[in-house]
Amino acid sequence: MLALLIGCTALGSLIALCGRLHFRLTPDFAAYVRTHPASDALVLPFRGEGRVLAPTGDMLLGAGDAFDLPEDSAERCTIEIRVHHGDDILLHFRHRIAFVFGRDGATRTAFALRTEGLITHPDLRACVRIGVSDFDRLVGPDSARAGSLTYDVTLLAGTGASKVELVEAARHGDGELADAKCSSILHGHLVPWSSVPAEGLVHRVRQRLHLTAARRPDGAQSIGIGASEHTASTEEYSYEVQVTVRLDGGDAHHWRKCARYAWGGQAW
């Protein structure tokens, strides 16, 4: 029993020593994002990507601006994506969708997209790419339940201008970020050497919305919400990712993923 107690004490001391060495030899979050900028080349294209539809997240299709109509005349949806490090906001992106049904309740006569906000931490920048499938069928006779929007948000270490753009993209499924490689710390942050990639910090969030909404005499169907996905280039530092999709007059989708580490009483 005494030998076991001595062994446990020695193991605890070793773990504490490894922890101190790890945090001493690894740059903290602020130092890392300042000294390891990430290249724009790390922003990945969509599969089957086509032309750029708009160099912003704004678009108007069909007859008039769907956002100008009364609330009961148009369908609206809001998506918000947030990334935090401790109490610091790394990213806050907000985007709106609006569309109007024709008399048959299935075809769309107007379709609109609007970026309502994009905020990033001063030491990071964001590339928000919204992939649009079935672009030519978003309004008009063949628009019944056609199309989808895939929000692909890449947050990169390093200063520079953030951007939002709309691009044509082929239909694809969820789960494409699951196999992304990331650098992580072995044995719960205890290995005494740096585990951060030289390529810099990258967070990537993806959310797909299926434009399946329709109004029928026997009821209505809303936009379909795909799986929320997130991957990061390293698991070294704390983060919290939140995705919220709100359907005006309907349900809301909330998704959250986080990793929390602390050192010296502060979020690591």
Side-chain angles (χ1 to χ4, degrees), residues 262-266:
W263 181 250
Q266 302 293 324

Side-chain angles (χ1 to χ4, degrees), residues 37-206:
S39 169
D40 287 341
L42 296 175
V43 178
L44 301 177
F46 289 105
R47 287 194 302 172
E49 182 173 322
R51 56 182 166 160
V52 174
L53 300 172
T56 68
D58 300 352
M59 176 178 288
L60 296 177
L61 297 174
D65 186 346
F67 286 110
D68 288 341
L69 297 177
E71 290 187 7
D72 58 355
S73 300
E75 304 289 322
R76 292 180 174 85
C77 176
T78 303
I79 179 170
E80 290 189 80
I81 297 174
R82 297 179 177 88
V83 181
H84 290 250
H85 174 261
D87 294 331
D88 293 332
I89 299 174
L90 304 186
L91 168 82
H92 184 186
F93 171 66
R94 178 182 169 93
H95 194 253
R96 292 271 283 168
I97 307 163
F99 50 91
V100 181
F101 290 118
R103 290 181 179 273
D104 61 1
T107 58
R108 305 185 199 108
T109 59
F111 185 87
L113 300 174
R114 177 185 295 172
T115 300
E116 293 197 337
L118 176 57
I119 299 171
T120 61
H121 186 279
D123 293 328
L124 297 103
R125 66 196 187 282
C127 179
V128 180
R129 311 188 79 235
I130 305 172
V132 183
S133 73
D134 295 327
F135 170 71
D136 295 329
R137 297 176 56 208
L138 293 182
V139 294
D142 297 325
S143 60
R145 304 181 64 190
S148 65
L149 300 175
T150 302
Y151 292 83
D152 192 271
V153 181
T154 305
L155 182 65
L156 301 155
T159 59
S162 295
K163 65 178 182 180
V164 183
E165 63 180 3
L166 300 171
V167 299
E168 274 191 311
R171 286 180 175 271
H172 55 274
D174 300 320
E176 294 188 348
L177 303 188
D179 296 327
K181 296 180 180 179
C182 71
S183 172
S184 62
I185 303 171
L186 300 176
H187 309 304
H189 277 254
L190 301 179
V191 176
W193 54 74
S194 174
S195 61
V196 294
E199 293 80 8
L201 179 71
V202 179
H203 281 278
R204 191 172 179 203
V205 186
R206 175 170 283 189

